[in-house]
Amino acid sequence: MAAARLRHRMGRLLERAPALGPWLRVYSTSPAFAEVLRLPQKQLTKVLYPLRELQQRLVADSGQGLIEQRLFDPSLEDIGRAESIFAATARSRIEYLSSAVRLDHAPSLQQPEVCFIGRSNVGKSSLIKALFALASDVEVRISKKPGHTKKMNFFKVGKHFTLVDMPGYGYRAPEDFVDMVEAYLKERNNLKRTFLLVDSAVGITKLDNIAIEMCEEFALPYVMVLTKIDKSSKGYLLKQVLQIQKFVNTQTQGCFPQLFPISAVTYSGVHLLKCFIAEITGSLK
Ligand code: GDP
């Protein structure tokens, strides 16, 4: 689909979107990885590999085959190493760098970059808060007031990579909002991967589809992260995951075939996601 058409469709959806949300969000802390490792085996699997738990349920219910694409299946050691990359130390700081409303205001950086996109209310701030929870001195503030200029927020994770929080689509946003996201996705040279957030309780919405089409059109490598998995029953979540997995398998080219379900409340899936980010940015080497 042509970029102009995407922009037009996005603009119309934005006009209709509800204007909700608090003005500021401030992040807190998460359990240390050592504590997670002390969990009983079943709990540990649930926290580290949420899809594996669902798969067990699927097999028990129907004897049906695999839903989990274990393309990325790191060792506990690698998950632990990724944890330390996301934990600020005296030698490796995690810090807010800057915000930008236009790509030419974005910091010029050589290190690999990953970005997070998703419709507003999908749980993006909560996830970024969970990712940075071990770096308690990083206070991430995100403007959510409707009508206020949405910005791209850049965070430096030591010398390893930059994480960019893109403005959530769905609010009444400035007219150039889509241009900003589009220009960034198209032109940011050091962008290694785009993480597209989808609410697991809701499924893929029209707005999500526009973002998916954008990633597909620009032939970007992207990853689908399913948020808020603690909200649904296991049976419902399984149904949603199967549906979204089918969509990814049949309707996308650039999407990584393995889904990343997470909960910012229970931290389920968050460690695996951190490890994946560390891996694709070359930070585990
Ligand atoms: P954003 O607009 O995408 O940044 O979304 P937020 O992170 O602000 O989350 C929107 C709403 O969903 C808030 O009420 C959050 O508390 C809630 N939320 C976010 N993540 C989760 C989650 O993992 N589980 C549950 N149960 N609620 C969540």
Side-chain angles (χ1 to χ4, degrees):
M1 181 187 289
R5 242 172 87 206
L6 279 173
R7 214 173 8 250
H8 177 68
R9 272 180 59 188
M10 181 69 117
R12 284 184 49 197
L13 282 160
L14 289 175
E15 275 166 27
R16 277 187 262 137
L20 302 166
W23 164 226
L24 288 175
R25 213 147 275 267
V26 182
Y27 295 141
S28 61
T29 55
S30 85
F33 192 54
E35 273 175 54
V36 175
L37 289 178
R38 281 197 287 274
L39 289 171
Q41 187 60 43
K42 201 171 162 202
Q43 286 266 70
L44 185 68
T45 304
K46 186 174 173 167
V47 171
L48 293 186
Y49 312 106
L51 272 182
R52 200 167 298 172
E53 199 210 8
L54 284 178
Q55 168 143 355
Q56 286 160 1
R57 161 82 183 236
L58 181 67
V59 172
D61 282 1
S62 61
Q64 221 177 309
L66 296 177
I67 55 163
E68 190 187 16
Q69 313 263 347
R70 276 157 75 168
L71 298 171
F72 179 67
D73 194 15
S75 62
L76 277 181
E77 192 192 358
D78 276 350
I79 296 179
R81 284 168 63 207
E83 284 295 296
S84 54
I85 287 167
F86 276 88
T89 61
R91 287 177 53 216
S92 179
R93 285 171 55 80
I94 298 180
E95 55 192 343
Y96 163 78
L97 268 185
S98 62
S99 298
V101 287
R102 291 197 349 229
L103 183 59
D104 53 2
H105 294 167
S108 174
L109 299 163
Q110 299 303 316
Q111 60 190 36
E113 195 157 281
V114 294
C115 77
F116 282 67
I117 61 172
R119 64 172 178 77
S120 41
N121 223 37
V122 74
K124 186 160 57 68
S125 324
S126 304
L127 173 58
I128 295 174
K129 170 184 168 183
L131 292 173
F132 286 152
L134 293 174
S136 51
D137 58 335
V138 185
E139 193 176 290
V140 185
R141 284 164 183 264
I142 295 169
S143 160
K144 290 194 162 186
K145 192 166 178 180
H148 271 241
T149 306
K150 301 293 177 292
K151 293 174 178 168
M152 305 180 260
N153 299 309
F154 292 78
F155 299 92
K156 197 164 177 276
V157 180
K159 291 198 177 81
H160 301 290
F161 59 91
T162 324
L163 187 152
V164 189
D165 173 26
M166 298 299 282
Y169 35 85
Y171 287 132
R172 286 171 204 282
E175 276 177 1
D176 59 356
F177 166 74
V178 183
D179 289 331
M180 184 201 325
V181 177
E182 191 178 296
Y184 172 88
L185 293 178
K186 221 162 133 180
E187 291 167 34
R188 190 71 170 168
N189 290 332
N190 55 333
L191 178 62
K192 291 284 173 240
R193 206 66 58 109
T194 297
F195 291 83
L196 197 156
L197 275 53
V198 170
D199 188 332
S200 66
V202 176
I204 297 173
T205 65
K206 279 186 191 165
L207 278 168
D208 298 326
N209 255 321
I210 292 171
I212 291 167
E213 282 169 11
M214 222 186 247
C215 292
E216 290 285 332
E217 187 190 353
F218 303 151
L220 293 172
Y222 63 104
V223 179
M224 227 178 265
V225 176
L226 310 184
T227 61
K228 308 187 193 179
I229 59 168
D230 60 286
K231 264 180 95 174
S232 313
S233 70
K234 237 195 254 179
Y236 181 75
L237 181 61
L238 180 57
K239 195 174 134 236
Q240 291 286 86
V241 167
L242 286 171
Q243 237 172 46
I244 297 171
Q245 184 72 64
K246 188 171 171 198
F247 175 91
V248 168
N249 293 348
T250 58
Q251 313 280 311
T252 68
Q253 301 282 324
C255 187
F256 190 61
Q258 180 173 340
L259 302 173
F260 283 81
I262 64 100
S263 162
V265 172
T266 64
Y267 288 89
S268 189
V270 171
H271 306 87
L272 191 66
L273 182 60
K274 283 187 204 173
C275 191
F276 185 69
I277 296 170
E279 166 73 24
I280 51 131
T281 53
S283 312
L284 288 179
K285 281 179 202 149

